[in-house]
Amino acid sequence: MNNLTAAEVTAVHPWNQNGAIDAAGLENWVRGRLAQQSQLIDSLLEVQAERSLENTLRPYDDAVATLSATGSLASLLDSVYPDKGVRDKARELTQ
């Protein structure tokens, strides 16, 4: 992970390159991931050509994976993160 840029780190995880996270950063990350998932679903629905693996199943799989990973990480932070503010925000975002 040391070779990733700050943008690449925060695209995958809600913490920064130093491993720090706060409630606002977590919310921004979750909202960004939900926007990405929504864009993937929109691209799937906009297909006018014949349906294929690449234009239908790939965006669907990516959307499901994005949503699942986001929920899993937020749920994990709700359960184990030492800062109460982050835990509370993670709980709020997973409900």
Side-chain angles (χ1 to χ4, degrees):
M1 193 145 106
N2 292 338
N3 296 328
L4 299 177
T5 66
E8 290 169 329
V9 169
T10 56
V12 177
H13 304 288
W15 47 86
N16 65 26
Q17 286 181 310
N18 299 324
I21 185 171
D22 60 20
L26 175 60
E27 182 167 7
N28 288 336
W29 179 79
V30 167
R31 294 203 184 286
R33 300 288 288 178
L34 292 176
Q36 179 184 14
Q37 184 264 347
S38 182
Q39 289 173 346
L40 289 163
I41 294 297
D42 288 347
S43 73
L44 173 129
L45 296 174
E46 292 170 356
V47 171
Q48 299 296 314
E50 183 177 338
R51 297 286 182 176
S52 68
L53 292 174
E54 285 306 309
N55 70 19
T56 303
L57 291 180
R58 173 57 56 201
Y60 175 79
D61 285 348
D62 291 347
V64 169
T66 298
L67 191 60
S68 178
T70 303
S72 292
L73 259 171
S75 182
L76 177 65
L77 291 171
D78 170 26
S79 297
V80 302
Y81 201 75
D83 180 78
K84 183 177 180 346
V86 171
R87 287 194 316 271
D88 290 347
K89 180 54 74 174
R91 183 173 302 116
E92 174 189 322
L93 292 167
T94 57
Q95 294 179 348

